Structures are given as structure tokens and as C-alpha cells.
Amino acid sequence: MRNIHLIISVLIVIPVGCIYGIQPNLLFDVTQNSMDEVNIFKAIMGLYLSFAVLWSLGILKPSLWKVATVSNIFFMLGIAFGRIISLFCDGFPSGVFVIGTLGELVLGFYALYQLQQHR
């Protein structure tokens, strides 16, 4: 059970990262009007996939569990914090982002709890 936050994160982050990089308008109300915007979304995909690899390694190798969990905390709470700032500065996004923010907060705080339980 100590890996559940990593497993859930991997299962969510891989498809979402691929959607960001391959076809972001599939789920999100975005348009890519320049090659720079395309590049930004591909870079986001790379970050998402690289973290998914790290979390997978943390699931498979107990020696990497702590670093995977700490990175999961920073990833999830960092994204959630950015979305909360946007909420106050820019207004409400589409429902998928509101749900995503709640999920990121839950996963981030649950990973923090797991870290405290399994020191």
C-alpha cells in the first residue's frame, strides 16, 4: 500500500502527459498557434513522462522509493499551487482543471503522509 500514490500518479500522468504533447485540444480548450507553443507542450510531456519513469522506478526499487515519493510531493503540490494561483489571478478554468487540481492536492498530501509513515 505504500506505493499507491506512485501507482495512481503514473497511471494518470502518462496519458495526460501524452495528451499534452500529442493532442492537447483533445481534452483541453487550447490551440497551438506557433511552433513555440507546440514546443512548450512537448516539453511538458517530457517532464510528465520523466517523472512517471522516476515514480515507476520508486515502485520497483525500494532504494528509490523515498526520492520518488519526495518528487511526487513536489510535482503534485507544485502543479496544484500553480493552478490555485491561476484560479485567483485568472479566474476559473474548465472543469477538467478544477478536478485535476483537487486530485493533485489529494495525491500530494497523501504522498506526504506516506513519507511520514514510512521513514
mmCIF file of all heavy atoms in Angstrom, residues 3-29:
data_model
loop_
_atom_site.group_PDB
_atom_site.id
_atom_site.type_symbol
_atom_site.label_atom_id
_atom_site.label_comp_id
_atom_site.label_asym_id
_atom_site.label_seq_id
_atom_site.Cartn_x
_atom_site.Cartn_y
_atom_site.Cartn_z
ATOM 1 N N ASN A 3 2.952 2.183 -2.033
ATOM 2 C CA ASN A 3 3.197 2.645 -3.400
ATOM 3 C C ASN A 3 1.966 3.210 -4.091
ATOM 4 O O ASN A 3 2.064 3.652 -5.236
ATOM 5 C CB ASN A 3 3.742 1.495 -4.254
ATOM 6 C CG ASN A 3 5.142 1.117 -3.885
ATOM 7 O OD1 ASN A 3 5.922 1.942 -3.438
ATOM 8 N ND2 ASN A 3 5.476 -0.146 -4.058
ATOM 9 N N ILE A 4 0.821 3.216 -3.424
ATOM 10 C CA ILE A 4 -0.426 3.561 -4.102
ATOM 11 C C ILE A 4 -0.389 4.968 -4.701
ATOM 12 O O ILE A 4 -0.891 5.187 -5.803
ATOM 13 C CB ILE A 4 -1.654 3.346 -3.185
ATOM 14 C CG1 ILE A 4 -2.945 3.349 -3.997
ATOM 15 C CG2 ILE A 4 -1.708 4.356 -2.076
ATOM 16 C CD1 ILE A 4 -3.124 2.139 -4.855
ATOM 17 N N HIS A 5 0.216 5.923 -4.014
ATOM 18 C CA HIS A 5 0.292 7.279 -4.558
ATOM 19 C C HIS A 5 1.142 7.317 -5.820
ATOM 20 O O HIS A 5 0.838 8.051 -6.758
ATOM 21 C CB HIS A 5 0.832 8.257 -3.503
ATOM 22 C CG HIS A 5 2.217 7.968 -3.059
ATOM 23 N ND1 HIS A 5 2.531 6.878 -2.251
ATOM 24 C CD2 HIS A 5 3.388 8.592 -3.307
ATOM 25 C CE1 HIS A 5 3.832 6.858 -2.027
ATOM 26 N NE2 HIS A 5 4.374 7.896 -2.656
ATOM 27 N N LEU A 6 2.188 6.504 -5.867
ATOM 28 C CA LEU A 6 3.045 6.446 -7.051
ATOM 29 C C LEU A 6 2.332 5.744 -8.202
ATOM 30 O O LEU A 6 2.393 6.196 -9.353
ATOM 31 C CB LEU A 6 4.361 5.742 -6.723
ATOM 32 C CG LEU A 6 5.250 6.426 -5.683
ATOM 33 C CD1 LEU A 6 6.445 5.548 -5.337
ATOM 34 C CD2 LEU A 6 5.703 7.798 -6.163
ATOM 35 N N ILE A 7 1.641 4.658 -7.889
ATOM 36 C CA ILE A 7 0.917 3.920 -8.930
ATOM 37 C C ILE A 7 -0.164 4.794 -9.552
ATOM 38 O O ILE A 7 -0.279 4.884 -10.783
ATOM 39 C CB ILE A 7 0.315 2.618 -8.347
ATOM 40 C CG1 ILE A 7 1.439 1.651 -7.941
ATOM 41 C CG2 ILE A 7 -0.643 1.970 -9.341
ATOM 42 C CD1 ILE A 7 0.978 0.478 -7.095
ATOM 43 N N ILE A 8 -0.971 5.438 -8.731
ATOM 44 C CA ILE A 8 -2.034 6.314 -9.243
ATOM 45 C C ILE A 8 -1.433 7.441 -10.066
ATOM 46 O O ILE A 8 -1.931 7.766 -11.158
ATOM 47 C CB ILE A 8 -2.899 6.861 -8.092
ATOM 48 C CG1 ILE A 8 -3.691 5.726 -7.447
ATOM 49 C CG2 ILE A 8 -3.838 7.965 -8.583
ATOM 50 C CD1 ILE A 8 -4.373 6.111 -6.140
ATOM 51 N N SER A 9 -0.353 8.031 -9.576
ATOM 52 C CA SER A 9 0.291 9.129 -10.299
ATOM 53 C C SER A 9 0.784 8.688 -11.662
ATOM 54 O O SER A 9 0.583 9.392 -12.664
ATOM 55 C CB SER A 9 1.450 9.698 -9.481
ATOM 56 O OG SER A 9 0.977 10.275 -8.287
ATOM 57 N N VAL A 10 1.426 7.531 -11.734
ATOM 58 C CA VAL A 10 1.923 7.017 -13.017
ATOM 59 C C VAL A 10 0.759 6.777 -13.967
ATOM 60 O O VAL A 10 0.819 7.158 -15.151
ATOM 61 C CB VAL A 10 2.742 5.717 -12.808
ATOM 62 C CG1 VAL A 10 2.986 5.003 -14.125
ATOM 63 C CG2 VAL A 10 4.063 6.024 -12.124
ATOM 64 N N LEU A 11 -0.310 6.171 -13.471
ATOM 65 C CA LEU A 11 -1.456 5.852 -14.319
ATOM 66 C C LEU A 11 -2.167 7.101 -14.850
ATOM 67 O O LEU A 11 -2.791 7.056 -15.909
ATOM 68 C CB LEU A 11 -2.452 4.970 -13.561
ATOM 69 C CG LEU A 11 -1.962 3.552 -13.249
ATOM 70 C CD1 LEU A 11 -2.974 2.817 -12.379
ATOM 71 C CD2 LEU A 11 -1.652 2.783 -14.526
ATOM 72 N N ILE A 12 -2.066 8.198 -14.134
ATOM 73 C CA ILE A 12 -2.688 9.449 -14.579
ATOM 74 C C ILE A 12 -1.720 10.280 -15.420
ATOM 75 O O ILE A 12 -2.085 10.812 -16.473
ATOM 76 C CB ILE A 12 -3.197 10.266 -13.370
ATOM 77 C CG1 ILE A 12 -4.362 9.534 -12.714
ATOM 78 C CG2 ILE A 12 -3.600 11.680 -13.790
ATOM 79 C CD1 ILE A 12 -4.803 10.119 -11.384
ATOM 80 N N VAL A 13 -0.489 10.399 -14.969
ATOM 81 C CA VAL A 13 0.473 11.321 -15.588
ATOM 82 C C VAL A 13 0.909 10.862 -16.983
ATOM 83 O O VAL A 13 1.119 11.697 -17.858
ATOM 84 C CB VAL A 13 1.667 11.547 -14.636
ATOM 85 C CG1 VAL A 13 2.848 12.150 -15.336
ATOM 86 C CG2 VAL A 13 1.226 12.437 -13.480
ATOM 87 N N ILE A 14 1.024 9.569 -17.218
ATOM 88 C CA ILE A 14 1.435 9.109 -18.554
ATOM 89 C C ILE A 14 0.417 9.506 -19.620
ATOM 90 O O ILE A 14 0.789 10.162 -20.602
ATOM 91 C CB ILE A 14 1.745 7.594 -18.573
ATOM 92 C CG1 ILE A 14 3.053 7.329 -17.822
ATOM 93 C CG2 ILE A 14 1.839 7.077 -20.013
ATOM 94 C CD1 ILE A 14 3.395 5.861 -17.660
ATOM 95 N N PRO A 15 -0.860 9.164 -19.476
ATOM 96 C CA PRO A 15 -1.788 9.582 -20.531
ATOM 97 C C PRO A 15 -1.963 11.096 -20.627
ATOM 98 O O PRO A 15 -2.047 11.644 -21.736
ATOM 99 C CB PRO A 15 -3.104 8.884 -20.188
ATOM 100 C CG PRO A 15 -2.959 8.360 -18.818
ATOM 101 C CD PRO A 15 -1.508 8.288 -18.499
ATOM 102 N N VAL A 16 -2.003 11.777 -19.488
ATOM 103 C CA VAL A 16 -2.160 13.237 -19.532
ATOM 104 C C VAL A 16 -0.943 13.876 -20.199
ATOM 105 O O VAL A 16 -1.080 14.779 -21.038
ATOM 106 C CB VAL A 16 -2.411 13.818 -18.125
ATOM 107 C CG1 VAL A 16 -2.339 15.336 -18.136
ATOM 108 C CG2 VAL A 16 -3.758 13.352 -17.598
ATOM 109 N N GLY A 17 0.249 13.408 -19.862
ATOM 110 C CA GLY A 17 1.454 13.924 -20.498
ATOM 111 C C GLY A 17 1.441 13.705 -22.002
ATOM 112 O O GLY A 17 1.793 14.609 -22.776
ATOM 113 N N CYS A 18 1.016 12.531 -22.427
ATOM 114 C CA CYS A 18 0.933 12.254 -23.866
ATOM 115 C C CYS A 18 -0.092 13.144 -24.549
ATOM 116 O O CYS A 18 0.135 13.630 -25.663
ATOM 117 C CB CYS A 18 0.618 10.785 -24.106
ATOM 118 S SG CYS A 18 1.987 9.678 -23.700
ATOM 119 N N ILE A 19 -1.208 13.376 -23.889
ATOM 120 C CA ILE A 19 -2.216 14.278 -24.457
ATOM 121 C C ILE A 19 -1.649 15.685 -24.583
ATOM 122 O O ILE A 19 -1.813 16.339 -25.622
ATOM 123 C CB ILE A 19 -3.514 14.254 -23.629
ATOM 124 C CG1 ILE A 19 -4.218 12.916 -23.824
ATOM 125 C CG2 ILE A 19 -4.434 15.417 -24.010
ATOM 126 C CD1 ILE A 19 -5.364 12.661 -22.869
ATOM 127 N N TYR A 20 -0.957 16.177 -23.548
ATOM 128 C CA TYR A 20 -0.336 17.499 -23.629
ATOM 129 C C TYR A 20 0.604 17.586 -24.837
ATOM 130 O O TYR A 20 0.617 18.580 -25.542
ATOM 131 C CB TYR A 20 0.486 17.797 -22.369
ATOM 132 C CG TYR A 20 -0.279 18.368 -21.206
ATOM 133 C CD1 TYR A 20 0.080 18.042 -19.908
ATOM 134 C CD2 TYR A 20 -1.327 19.248 -21.382
ATOM 135 C CE1 TYR A 20 -0.596 18.567 -18.816
ATOM 136 C CE2 TYR A 20 -2.015 19.778 -20.297
ATOM 137 C CZ TYR A 20 -1.636 19.432 -19.023
ATOM 138 O OH TYR A 20 -2.307 19.953 -17.957
ATOM 139 N N GLY A 21 1.395 16.548 -25.050
ATOM 140 C CA GLY A 21 2.407 16.603 -26.089
ATOM 141 C C GLY A 21 1.935 16.264 -27.475
ATOM 142 O O GLY A 21 2.517 16.724 -28.462
ATOM 143 N N ILE A 22 0.899 15.454 -27.588
ATOM 144 C CA ILE A 22 0.477 14.978 -28.904
ATOM 145 C C ILE A 22 -0.766 15.703 -29.405
ATOM 146 O O ILE A 22 -0.819 16.138 -30.557
ATOM 147 C CB ILE A 22 0.246 13.445 -28.867
ATOM 148 C CG1 ILE A 22 1.565 12.740 -28.536
ATOM 149 C CG2 ILE A 22 -0.323 12.952 -30.186
ATOM 150 C CD1 ILE A 22 1.424 11.278 -28.169
ATOM 151 N N GLN A 23 -1.779 15.827 -28.546
ATOM 152 C CA GLN A 23 -3.029 16.463 -28.976
ATOM 153 C C GLN A 23 -3.728 17.133 -27.793
ATOM 154 O O GLN A 23 -4.743 16.649 -27.297
ATOM 155 C CB GLN A 23 -3.951 15.432 -29.632
ATOM 156 C CG GLN A 23 -5.065 16.058 -30.413
ATOM 157 C CD GLN A 23 -5.836 15.022 -31.204
ATOM 158 O OE1 GLN A 23 -5.654 13.820 -31.045
ATOM 159 N NE2 GLN A 23 -6.726 15.498 -32.047
ATOM 160 N N PRO A 24 -3.191 18.276 -27.329
ATOM 161 C CA PRO A 24 -3.754 18.906 -26.123
ATOM 162 C C PRO A 24 -5.202 19.354 -26.270
ATOM 163 O O PRO A 24 -5.924 19.420 -25.286
ATOM 164 C CB PRO A 24 -2.826 20.098 -25.871
ATOM 165 C CG PRO A 24 -2.145 20.341 -27.165
ATOM 166 C CD PRO A 24 -2.081 19.024 -27.872
ATOM 167 N N ASN A 25 -5.638 19.627 -27.477
ATOM 168 C CA ASN A 25 -7.027 20.067 -27.654
ATOM 169 C C ASN A 25 -8.015 18.912 -27.542
ATOM 170 O O ASN A 25 -9.216 19.115 -27.584
ATOM 171 C CB ASN A 25 -7.204 20.805 -28.978
ATOM 172 C CG ASN A 25 -6.871 19.939 -30.179
ATOM 173 O OD1 ASN A 25 -6.247 18.891 -30.052
ATOM 174 N ND2 ASN A 25 -7.264 20.386 -31.341
ATOM 175 N N LEU A 26 -7.521 17.676 -27.359
ATOM 176 C CA LEU A 26 -8.396 16.528 -27.170
ATOM 177 C C LEU A 26 -9.219 16.665 -25.891
ATOM 178 O O LEU A 26 -10.410 16.380 -25.873
ATOM 179 C CB LEU A 26 -7.570 15.236 -27.131
ATOM 180 C CG LEU A 26 -8.341 13.931 -27.025
ATOM 181 C CD1 LEU A 26 -9.155 13.686 -28.302
ATOM 182 C CD2 LEU A 26 -7.377 12.777 -26.793
ATOM 183 N N LEU A 27 -8.579 17.114 -24.811
ATOM 184 C CA LEU A 27 -9.264 17.273 -23.530
ATOM 185 C C LEU A 27 -9.356 18.714 -23.062
ATOM 186 O O LEU A 27 -10.158 19.034 -22.199
ATOM 187 C CB LEU A 27 -8.542 16.474 -22.435
ATOM 188 C CG LEU A 27 -8.638 14.964 -22.490
ATOM 189 C CD1 LEU A 27 -7.848 14.348 -21.349
ATOM 190 C CD2 LEU A 27 -10.077 14.500 -22.426
ATOM 191 N N PHE A 28 -8.497 19.565 -23.596
ATOM 192 C CA PHE A 28 -8.373 20.916 -23.077
ATOM 193 C C PHE A 28 -8.728 21.934 -24.155
ATOM 194 O O PHE A 28 -8.500 21.708 -25.333
ATOM 195 C CB PHE A 28 -6.946 21.171 -22.576
ATOM 196 C CG PHE A 28 -6.421 20.058 -21.707
ATOM 197 C CD1 PHE A 28 -5.363 19.276 -22.129
ATOM 198 C CD2 PHE A 28 -6.989 19.787 -20.473
ATOM 199 C CE1 PHE A 28 -4.871 18.248 -21.329
ATOM 200 C CE2 PHE A 28 -6.513 18.755 -19.674
ATOM 201 C CZ PHE A 28 -5.450 17.985 -20.106
ATOM 202 N N ASP A 29 -9.247 23.055 -23.730
ATOM 203 C CA ASP A 29 -9.627 24.124 -24.654
ATOM 204 C C ASP A 29 -8.396 24.983 -24.959
ATOM 205 O O ASP A 29 -8.274 26.101 -24.462
ATOM 206 C CB ASP A 29 -10.749 24.962 -24.035
ATOM 207 C CG ASP A 29 -11.267 26.024 -24.983
ATOM 208 O OD1 ASP A 29 -11.066 25.895 -26.204
ATOM 209 O OD2 ASP A 29 -11.868 26.997 -24.495
#
